[in-house]
Amino acid sequence: GSEIAVGGQGTVFRATRTSRPDGTAANDVVALKLYFDRRQLPIQPEITAMENVSHLNLARLIEHGYCDVAGRHTRYVVWEFIEGQPLSVQLRSGRLLESEVLAIGRDVAAAIAEIWSRRVVHADIKPSNIMLRNSDDGDIMFGSVDSAVLIDLGVARDLDQSNIGTLDRRERRSAPRPMGTWGYFSPEQIRGTKALSCASDVFSLGVVMLQCLLGKHPTDDDQTAITDGIRASGGRVAASVGLLCALDMMLSPLPAFRPNPAELSHRFQSLRQTMQAEFAKGARTPQKAQN
């Protein structure tokens, strides 16, 4: 089928699976990831992280192995196909409603907590790695975003794996970039901390959520500005105090001060329920955050 995405870890296609590894018939639409270049990053961490995982907010690993593509012995991984669109596409239309941002934060934080229970760090939380499942009719109060799914653990790493080397600021232009995406690295990622934790993913999620509120990247993809420290509060965006306080903690330069992802997920759900109750009473009207 059609090509969905091309990245450093492989090319993803929409495909129809006609049979299972055991030879029984199948007829399901899947996301097929092919690794044409043998020099690409090792994919075993991605597979190890997701084998036997079943979670509402994580794309399900269906099967993996080798196949022949145009005469080439090619490694493949088959993922659940998520109906919806990437958050990166949704952001082209501008800012999201606070209720939508809370739904994204709730679901991605839950996904981070799940993989961290296996001591795995995603290490590449960004809008294009978050798929949005939109509600069928859309809620005028809460917007169209119903839930979010975290995808692509192509650079995921186990806690005991070696991490990136330290990058001096003067060397960043010539040195290879750490695995992940510029503009979303946590301070410890860019410093080359060897043992990352879920706190690194929490920081990156904070950047993404602030981007959703602003309708643009908070530092225009300037990683140095992020590393030096950014805040959500202080009049930059008009959002609830509860959300702004949570974002400030998520964006703390010190990992130990960032919230636990499971607790964050519950907090965002609670804030969303409170907002829903206020809407029902007419005490609050939905609006997109303003600069």
Side-chain angles (χ1 to χ4, degrees), residues 59-134:
R60 181 170 55 91
L61 175 64
I62 296 176
E63 69 172 81
H64 58 89
Y66 289 90
C67 61
D68 289 327
V69 180
R72 297 173 61 185
H73 195 52
T74 306
R75 189 71 187 268
Y76 75 88
V77 180
V78 176
W79 295 93
E80 169 191 7
F81 184 83
I82 307 298
E83 294 287 352
Q85 66 178 354
L87 174 57
S88 54
V89 173
Q90 181 85 11
L91 282 168
R92 294 174 188 169
S93 299
R95 305 179 184 94
L96 274 63
L97 291 170
E98 181 176 341
S99 53
E100 295 176 310
V101 178
L102 286 169
I104 292 168
R106 173 199 65 199
D107 292 350
V108 177
I112 292 171
E114 174 64 24
I115 61 174
W116 179 242
S117 70
R118 299 165 183 267
R119 289 301 182 263
V120 171
V121 179
H122 187 285
D124 197 17
I125 306 288
K126 60 182 178 181
S128 60
N129 280 343
I130 298 172
M131 291 293 296
L132 303 180
R133 284 192 172 117
N134 295 334

Coordinates of all heavy atoms in Angstrom, one line a residue, residues 59-134:
A59 N 0.9 1.5 20.3 CA 0.7 0.7 19.1 C 1.1 -0.7 19.4 O 2.2 -1.0 20.0 CB 1.4 1.2 17.9
R60 N 0.3 -1.7 19.0 CA 0.6 -3.1 19.3 C 1.5 -3.7 18.3 O 1.3 -3.6 17.1 CB -0.7 -3.9 19.4 CG -0.6 -5.4 19.7 CD -1.9 -6.0 20.0 NE -2.9 -5.8 18.9 CZ -3.0 -6.6 17.8 NH1 -2.3 -7.7 17.8 NH2 -3.9 -6.3 16.9
L61 N 2.6 -4.4 18.8 CA 3.5 -5.2 17.9 C 2.8 -6.5 17.5 O 2.4 -7.3 18.3 CB 4.8 -5.5 18.6 CG 5.8 -6.3 17.9 CD1 6.3 -5.6 16.6 CD2 6.9 -6.7 18.8
I62 N 2.6 -6.7 16.1 CA 1.9 -7.8 15.7 C 2.8 -9.0 15.3 O 2.6 -10.1 15.7 CB 1.0 -7.4 14.4 CG1 0.0 -6.4 14.9 CG2 0.4 -8.7 13.8 CD1 -0.9 -5.9 13.8
E63 N 3.9 -8.7 14.5 CA 4.8 -9.8 14.2 C 6.1 -9.1 13.6 O 6.1 -7.9 13.3 CB 4.3 -10.8 13.2 CG 4.0 -10.2 11.8 CD 3.6 -11.3 10.8 OE1 2.5 -11.7 10.7 OE2 4.6 -11.7 10.0
H64 N 7.2 -9.9 13.5 CA 8.4 -9.4 12.9 C 9.2 -10.6 12.4 O 9.0 -11.7 12.7 CB 9.2 -8.7 14.0 CG 9.6 -9.5 15.2 ND1 10.7 -10.3 15.2 CD2 8.9 -9.7 16.4 CE1 10.8 -10.9 16.4 NE2 9.7 -10.6 17.1
G65 N 10.1 -10.3 11.5 CA 10.9 -11.3 10.8 C 11.6 -10.8 9.6 O 12.0 -9.6 9.6
Y66 N 11.8 -11.7 8.6 CA 12.5 -11.3 7.4 C 11.6 -11.7 6.2 O 10.8 -12.6 6.2 CB 13.8 -12.0 7.3 CG 14.9 -11.5 8.2 CD1 15.0 -12.1 9.5 CD2 15.7 -10.5 7.9 CE1 16.0 -11.6 10.4 CE2 16.7 -10.0 8.7 CZ 16.8 -10.6 10.0 OH 17.8 -10.1 10.9
C67 N 11.7 -10.9 5.1 CA 11.0 -11.1 3.9 C 11.8 -10.7 2.7 O 12.8 -9.9 2.9 CB 9.6 -10.4 3.9 SG 9.7 -8.6 4.0
D68 N 11.4 -11.1 1.5 CA 12.1 -10.8 0.3 C 11.4 -9.6 -0.3 O 10.2 -9.7 -0.6 CB 12.2 -11.9 -0.7 CG 13.2 -13.0 -0.2 OD1 14.2 -12.6 0.5 OD2 13.0 -14.2 -0.4
V69 N 12.1 -8.5 -0.5 CA 11.5 -7.3 -1.2 C 12.4 -7.0 -2.4 O 13.6 -6.6 -2.2 CB 11.4 -6.1 -0.2 CG1 10.9 -4.9 -1.0 CG2 10.6 -6.4 1.0
A70 N 11.9 -7.2 -3.6 CA 12.6 -6.9 -4.8 C 14.0 -7.7 -4.8 O 15.0 -7.2 -5.2 CB 12.9 -5.4 -5.0
G71 N 13.9 -8.9 -4.3 CA 15.1 -9.8 -4.3 C 16.1 -9.5 -3.1 O 17.2 -10.1 -3.1
R72 N 15.7 -8.6 -2.2 CA 16.5 -8.3 -1.1 C 16.0 -8.9 0.2 O 14.8 -8.8 0.5 CB 16.7 -6.7 -0.9 CG 17.3 -6.0 -2.1 CD 17.2 -4.5 -2.0 NE 17.9 -4.1 -0.8 CZ 17.9 -2.8 -0.4 NH1 17.2 -1.9 -1.1 NH2 18.6 -2.4 0.7
H73 N 16.9 -9.5 1.0 CA 16.5 -10.1 2.3 C 16.3 -8.9 3.2 O 17.3 -8.2 3.6 CB 17.6 -11.0 2.7 CG 17.2 -11.9 3.9 ND1 16.1 -12.7 3.8 CD2 17.8 -12.1 5.1 CE1 16.0 -13.4 5.0 NE2 17.0 -13.0 5.7
T74 N 15.1 -8.6 3.7 CA 14.8 -7.4 4.4 C 14.1 -7.7 5.7 O 13.2 -8.5 5.8 CB 13.8 -6.5 3.5 OG1 14.4 -6.3 2.2 CG2 13.5 -5.2 4.2
R75 N 14.6 -7.0 6.7 CA 14.0 -7.1 8.1 C 12.7 -6.3 8.1 O 12.6 -5.2 7.5 CB 14.9 -6.6 9.1 CG 14.5 -6.9 10.6 CD 14.6 -8.4 10.9 NE 14.0 -8.7 12.2 CZ 14.7 -8.7 13.3 NH1 16.0 -8.3 13.3 NH2 14.1 -9.1 14.5
Y76 N 11.7 -6.9 8.7 CA 10.4 -6.1 8.8 C 9.8 -6.2 10.2 O 10.1 -7.2 11.0 CB 9.4 -6.7 7.8 CG 8.8 -8.0 8.2 CD1 7.6 -8.1 8.9 CD2 9.3 -9.2 7.7 CE1 7.0 -9.3 9.3 CE2 8.8 -10.4 8.0 CZ 7.6 -10.5 8.8 OH 7.1 -11.7 9.2
V77 N 9.0 -5.3 10.6 CA 8.2 -5.3 11.8 C 6.8 -4.8 11.5 O 6.6 -3.8 10.7 CB 8.8 -4.3 12.9 CG1 8.0 -4.4 14.2 CG2 10.3 -4.7 13.2
V78 N 5.8 -5.5 11.9 CA 4.4 -5.2 11.6 C 3.8 -4.7 12.9 O 3.8 -5.3 13.9 CB 3.6 -6.5 11.1 CG1 2.2 -6.1 10.9 CG2 4.2 -6.9 9.8
W79 N 3.2 -3.5 12.8 CA 2.5 -2.8 13.9 C 1.0 -2.7 13.6 O 0.6 -2.7 12.5 CB 3.1 -1.4 14.1 CG 4.5 -1.4 14.5 CD1 5.6 -1.3 13.7 CD2 5.0 -1.5 15.8 NE1 6.8 -1.4 14.4 CE2 6.4 -1.5 15.8 CE3 4.4 -1.7 17.1 CZ2 7.2 -1.6 16.9 CZ3 5.2 -1.7 18.2 CH2 6.6 -1.7 18.1
E80 N 0.3 -2.6 14.7 CA -1.2 -2.2 14.6 C -1.3 -0.9 13.8 O -0.5 0.0 14.0 CB -1.7 -2.1 16.0 CG -3.1 -1.5 16.1 CD -3.5 -1.1 17.5 OE1 -2.7 -1.2 18.4 OE2 -4.7 -0.7 17.7
F81 N -2.2 -0.9 12.9 CA -2.5 0.4 12.1 C -3.4 1.2 12.9 O -4.5 0.8 13.2 CB -3.0 0.1 10.7 CG -3.2 1.3 9.9 CD1 -2.1 1.8 9.2 CD2 -4.4 2.0 9.8 CE1 -2.3 2.9 8.4 CE2 -4.6 3.1 9.1 CZ -3.5 3.6 8.3
I82 N -3.0 2.4 13.3 CA -3.8 3.3 14.1 C -4.6 4.3 13.1 O -4.0 5.0 12.4 CB -3.0 4.2 15.0 CG1 -2.0 3.3 15.9 CG2 -3.8 5.1 15.9 CD1 -2.8 2.4 16.8
E83 N -5.9 4.2 13.2 CA -6.8 5.1 12.4 C -6.7 6.5 13.1 O -7.0 6.6 14.3 CB -8.2 4.6 12.4 CG -8.4 3.2 11.6 CD -8.3 3.4 10.1 OE1 -8.2 4.6 9.6 OE2 -8.2 2.4 9.4
G84 N -6.5 7.4 12.3 CA -6.4 8.8 12.8 C -5.3 9.6 12.1 O -5.0 9.3 10.9
Q85 N -4.7 10.5 12.7 CA -3.6 11.3 12.1 C -2.6 11.7 13.1 O -2.8 11.8 14.3 CB -4.2 12.6 11.4 CG -4.7 13.6 12.4 CD -5.2 14.8 11.7 OE1 -5.0 15.0 10.5 NE2 -5.8 15.8 12.4
P86 N -1.3 11.9 12.7 CA -0.3 12.3 13.6 C -0.6 13.7 14.2 O -1.2 14.5 13.6 CB 1.0 12.3 12.8 CG 0.7 11.5 11.5 CD -0.8 11.7 11.3
L87 N -0.1 13.9 15.4 CA -0.3 15.2 16.1 C 0.4 16.3 15.3 O -0.1 17.4 15.2 CB 0.3 15.1 17.5 CG 0.3 16.4 18.3 CD1 -1.0 17.1 18.4 CD2 1.0 16.2 19.7
S88 N 1.5 15.9 14.6 CA 2.2 16.9 13.8 C 1.3 17.5 12.7 O 1.4 18.6 12.3 CB 3.4 16.3 13.1 OG 3.1 15.1 12.4
V89 N 0.4 16.6 12.1 CA -0.5 17.1 11.1 C -1.6 18.0 11.7 O -2.0 19.0 11.2 CB -1.2 15.9 10.4 CG1 -2.3 16.3 9.4 CG2 -0.1 15.1 9.6
Q90 N -2.1 17.5 12.9 CA -3.1 18.3 13.6 C -2.6 19.7 13.9 O -3.4 20.7 13.8 CB -3.5 17.6 14.9 CG -4.6 18.3 15.7 CD -6.0 17.9 15.2 OE1 -6.2 17.0 14.4 NE2 -7.0 18.6 15.7
L91 N -1.3 19.8 14.2 CA -0.8 21.1 14.6 C -0.7 22.1 13.5 O -0.5 23.3 13.7 CB 0.6 20.9 15.3 CG 0.6 20.4 16.7 CD1 2.0 20.0 17.2 CD2 0.1 21.5 17.7
R92 N -0.8 21.6 12.3 CA -0.8 22.5 11.1 C -2.0 23.5 11.1 O -1.9 24.5 10.5 CB -0.7 21.7 9.8 CG 0.5 20.9 9.6 CD 0.4 20.0 8.4 NE 1.5 19.1 8.2 CZ 1.6 18.1 7.4 NH1 0.5 17.9 6.6 NH2 2.6 17.3 7.4
S93 N -3.0 23.1 11.8 CA -4.2 23.9 11.9 C -4.1 24.9 13.0 O -5.1 25.7 13.3 CB -5.4 23.0 12.1 OG -5.6 22.2 11.0
G94 N -3.0 24.9 13.8 CA -2.8 25.9 14.9 C -3.0 25.2 16.3 O -2.9 24.0 16.4
R95 N -3.3 26.1 17.2 CA -3.3 25.7 18.6 C -4.5 24.7 18.9 O -5.5 24.7 18.2 CB -3.6 26.9 19.5 CG -2.6 28.0 19.4 CD -2.9 29.1 20.4 NE -2.1 30.3 20.2 CZ -2.3 31.3 19.4 NH1 -3.4 31.4 18.7 NH2 -1.4 32.3 19.3
L96 N -4.3 23.9 19.9 CA -5.3 22.9 20.3 C -6.0 23.4 21.5 O -5.5 24.3 22.2 CB -4.7 21.5 20.6 CG -4.5 20.6 19.5 CD1 -3.5 21.1 18.5 CD2 -4.0 19.2 20.0
L97 N -7.3 23.0 21.7 CA -8.0 23.3 22.9 C -7.3 22.7 24.1 O -6.7 21.7 24.0 CB -9.4 22.7 22.8 CG -10.4 23.4 21.8 CD1 -11.6 22.6 21.7 CD2 -10.7 24.8 22.2
E98 N -7.4 23.4 25.2 CA -6.8 22.9 26.5 C -7.3 21.5 26.8 O -6.5 20.6 27.2 CB -7.0 23.8 27.6 CG -6.4 23.3 28.9 CD -6.5 24.3 30.1 OE1 -6.8 25.4 29.8 OE2 -6.4 23.8 31.2
S99 N -8.6 21.2 26.6 CA -9.1 19.9 26.8 C -8.5 18.8 25.9 O -8.2 17.7 26.4 CB -10.6 19.9 26.6 OG -10.9 20.4 25.3
E100 N -8.1 19.2 24.7 CA -7.4 18.3 23.8 C -6.0 18.0 24.3 O -5.5 16.9 24.2 CB -7.4 18.8 22.4 CG -8.8 18.9 21.8 CD -8.8 19.6 20.4 OE1 -8.2 20.7 20.3 OE2 -9.4 19.0 19.5
V101 N -5.3 19.1 24.7 CA -4.0 18.9 25.2 C -3.9 18.0 26.5 O -3.0 17.2 26.6 CB -3.4 20.3 25.5 CG1 -2.0 20.2 26.1 CG2 -3.3 21.2 24.3
L102 N -5.0 18.1 27.3 CA -5.0 17.3 28.5 C -5.3 15.8 28.1 O -4.7 14.9 28.7 CB -6.2 17.8 29.4 CG -5.9 19.1 30.2 CD1 -7.2 19.5 30.8 CD2 -4.9 18.9 31.2
A103 N -6.1 15.6 27.1 CA -6.3 14.2 26.6 C -5.0 13.6 26.1 O -4.7 12.4 26.4 CB -7.4 14.2 25.5
I104 N -4.2 14.4 25.3 CA -3.0 13.9 24.8 C -2.0 13.6 25.9 O -1.3 12.6 26.0 CB -2.4 14.9 23.8 CG1 -3.3 15.0 22.5 CG2 -0.9 14.6 23.4 CD1 -3.0 16.2 21.7
G105 N -1.9 14.6 26.9 CA -1.0 14.4 28.0 C -1.4 13.2 28.8 O -0.5 12.4 29.2
R106 N -2.6 13.0 29.1 CA -3.1 11.8 29.8 C -2.7 10.5 29.2 O -2.2 9.6 29.9 CB -4.6 11.9 29.9 CG -5.3 10.7 30.6 CD -6.8 10.7 30.2 NE -7.0 10.5 28.7 CZ -8.1 10.8 28.1 NH1 -9.1 11.3 28.7 NH2 -8.2 10.6 26.8
D107 N -2.9 10.4 27.9 CA -2.7 9.1 27.2 C -1.2 8.9 27.0 O -0.7 7.7 27.1 CB -3.5 9.1 25.9 CG -5.0 9.1 26.1 OD1 -5.4 8.9 27.2 OD2 -5.7 9.3 25.1
V108 N -0.4 9.9 26.6 CA 1.0 9.6 26.3 C 1.7 9.4 27.6 O 2.6 8.6 27.7 CB 1.6 10.8 25.5 CG1 3.1 10.6 25.3 CG2 0.9 11.0 24.2
A109 N 1.3 10.1 28.7 CA 1.9 9.8 30.0 C 1.7 8.4 30.4 O 2.5 7.7 31.0 CB 1.4 10.8 31.0
A110 N 0.4 7.9 30.2 CA 0.1 6.5 30.5 C 1.0 5.5 29.7 O 1.4 4.5 30.2 CB -1.4 6.3 30.3
A111 N 1.2 5.9 28.4 CA 2.1 5.0 27.6 C 3.5 5.0 28.1 O 4.2 4.0 28.2 CB 2.0 5.5 26.2
I112 N 4.0 6.2 28.5 CA 5.4 6.3 29.1 C 5.5 5.4 30.3 O 6.5 4.7 30.5 CB 5.7 7.8 29.3 CG1 5.8 8.6 28.0 CG2 7.0 7.9 30.2 CD1 6.0 10.1 28.2
A113 N 4.5 5.5 31.2 CA 4.5 4.7 32.4 C 4.5 3.2 32.1 O 5.2 2.5 32.8 CB 3.2 5.1 33.3
E114 N 3.8 2.8 31.1 CA 3.7 1.4 30.7 C 5.1 0.9 30.3 O 5.6 -0.2 30.7 CB 2.7 1.2 29.7 CG 2.7 -0.3 29.1 CD 2.3 -1.3 30.1 OE1 1.6 -0.9 31.1 OE2 2.6 -2.5 30.0
I115 N 5.8 1.6 29.4 CA 7.0 1.1 28.9 C 8.1 1.3 30.0 O 9.0 0.4 30.0 CB 7.5 1.8 27.6 CG1 7.7 3.3 27.8 CG2 6.5 1.5 26.5 CD1 8.2 4.0 26.5
W116 N 8.0 2.3 30.9 CA 8.9 2.4 31.9 C 8.8 1.3 32.9 O 9.8 0.9 33.6 CB 8.8 3.8 32.6 CG 9.8 4.0 33.7 CD1 9.5 4.2 35.1 CD2 11.2 3.9 33.6 NE1 10.7 4.3 35.8 CE2 11.7 4.1 34.9 CE3 12.1 3.8 32.6 CZ2 13.1 4.1 35.2 CZ3 13.5 3.8 32.8 CH2 14.0 4.0 34.1
S117 N 7.6 0.7 33.1 CA 7.5 -0.5 34.0 C 8.3 -1.6 33.5 O 8.6 -2.5 34.3 CB 6.0 -0.9 34.0 OG 5.6 -1.5 32.8
R118 N 8.8 -1.6 32.2 CA 9.7 -2.6 31.7 C 11.1 -2.0 31.6 O 12.0 -2.6 30.9 CB 9.2 -3.0 30.3 CG 7.8 -3.6 30.3 CD 7.2 -3.7 29.0 NE 5.9 -4.3 29.1 CZ 5.6 -5.6 28.9 NH1 6.5 -6.5 28.7 NH2 4.3 -6.0 29.1
R119 N 11.3 -0.9 32.2 CA 12.6 -0.1 32.2 C 13.0 0.2 30.8 O 14.2 0.0 30.5 CB 13.6 -0.9 33.0 CG 13.4 -1.0 34.5 CD 13.4 0.5 35.0 NE 13.2 0.5 36.5 CZ 12.0 0.7 37.1 NH1 10.9 0.9 36.4 NH2 11.9 0.8 38.4
V120 N 12.1 0.7 30.0 CA 12.4 1.1 28.7 C 12.1 2.6 28.5 O 11.0 3.1 29.0 CB 11.6 0.3 27.6 CG1 11.7 0.9 26.2 CG2 12.1 -1.1 27.6
V121 N 13.0 3.4 27.9 CA 12.8 4.8 27.6 C 12.5 4.9 26.1 O 13.2 4.4 25.3 CB 14.0 5.6 28.0 CG1 13.8 7.1 27.7 CG2 14.3 5.4 29.5
H122 N 11.5 5.7 25.8 CA 11.1 5.9 24.4 C 12.2 6.7 23.7 O 12.7 6.4 22.6 CB 9.8 6.6 24.2 CG 9.3 6.7 22.8 ND1 9.8 7.6 21.9 CD2 8.3 6.0 22.2 CE1 9.1 7.5 20.8 NE2 8.2 6.5 20.9
A123 N 12.6 7.8 24.3 CA 13.7 8.7 23.8 C 13.4 9.5 22.6 O 14.3 10.1 22.1 CB 15.0 7.8 23.7
D124 N 12.2 9.4 22.1 CA 11.9 10.2 20.9 C 10.4 10.7 20.9 O 9.7 10.5 19.9 CB 12.2 9.5 19.6 CG 12.3 10.4 18.4 OD1 12.5 11.6 18.5 OD2 12.3 9.8 17.2
I125 N 10.0 11.3 22.0 CA 8.6 11.8 22.1 C 8.6 13.1 21.3 O 9.3 14.1 21.6 CB 8.2 12.1 23.6 CG1 8.5 10.8 24.4 CG2 6.8 12.6 23.6 CD1 7.5 9.7 24.2
K126 N 7.7 13.1 20.3 CA 7.5 14.3 19.4 C 6.2 14.2 18.7 O 5.6 13.1 18.7 CB 8.7 14.4 18.4 CG 8.8 13.2 17.5 CD 9.9 13.3 16.5 CE 10.0 12.1 15.6 NZ 11.2 12.2 14.7
P127 N 5.7 15.3 18.2 CA 4.3 15.2 17.6 C 4.1 14.1 16.5 O 3.1 13.5 16.5 CB 4.2 16.6 16.9 CG 5.0 17.5 17.8 CD 6.2 16.6 18.2
S128 N 5.1 13.9 15.7 CA 4.9 12.9 14.6 C 4.9 11.4 15.2 O 4.5 10.5 14.4 CB 6.0 13.0 13.5 OG 7.3 12.8 14.1
N129 N 5.3 11.3 16.4 CA 5.2 9.9 17.0 C 4.0 9.8 17.9 O 4.0 8.8 18.7 CB 6.5 9.6 17.8 CG 7.7 9.2 16.9 OD1 7.5 8.8 15.8 ND2 8.9 9.3 17.4
I130 N 3.1 10.7 17.8 CA 1.8 10.6 18.6 C 0.7 10.6 17.6 O 0.5 11.6 16.9 CB 1.7 11.8 19.6 CG1 2.9 11.8 20.6 CG2 0.4 11.7 20.3 CD1 2.9 13.0 21.5
M131 N 0.0 9.5 17.6 CA -1.2 9.4 16.7 C -2.5 9.8 17.5 O -2.6 9.4 18.6 CB -1.4 7.9 16.2 CG -0.3 7.5 15.2 SD -0.4 8.5 13.6 CE -2.0 7.9 13.0
L132 N -3.3 10.5 16.8 CA -4.6 11.0 17.5 C -5.7 10.2 16.9 O -5.9 10.0 15.7 CB -4.8 12.5 17.2 CG -3.7 13.4 17.6 CD1 -4.1 14.8 17.3 CD2 -3.4 13.3 19.1
R133 N -6.5 9.6 17.8 CA -7.8 9.0 17.5 C -8.8 10.0 17.7 O -9.1 10.4 18.8 CB -8.0 7.7 18.4 CG -7.2 6.5 18.0 CD -7.7 5.3 18.7 NE -7.1 4.1 18.3 CZ -6.4 3.3 19.0 NH1 -6.1 3.6 20.3 NH2 -5.9 2.2 18.6
N134 N -9.5 10.4 16.6 CA -10.5 11.5 16.7 C -11.9 10.8 17.0 O -12.2 9.8 16.5 CB -10.5 12.3 15.4 CG -9.3 13.1 15.2 OD1 -8.6 13.4 16.2 ND2 -9.0 13.4 14.0

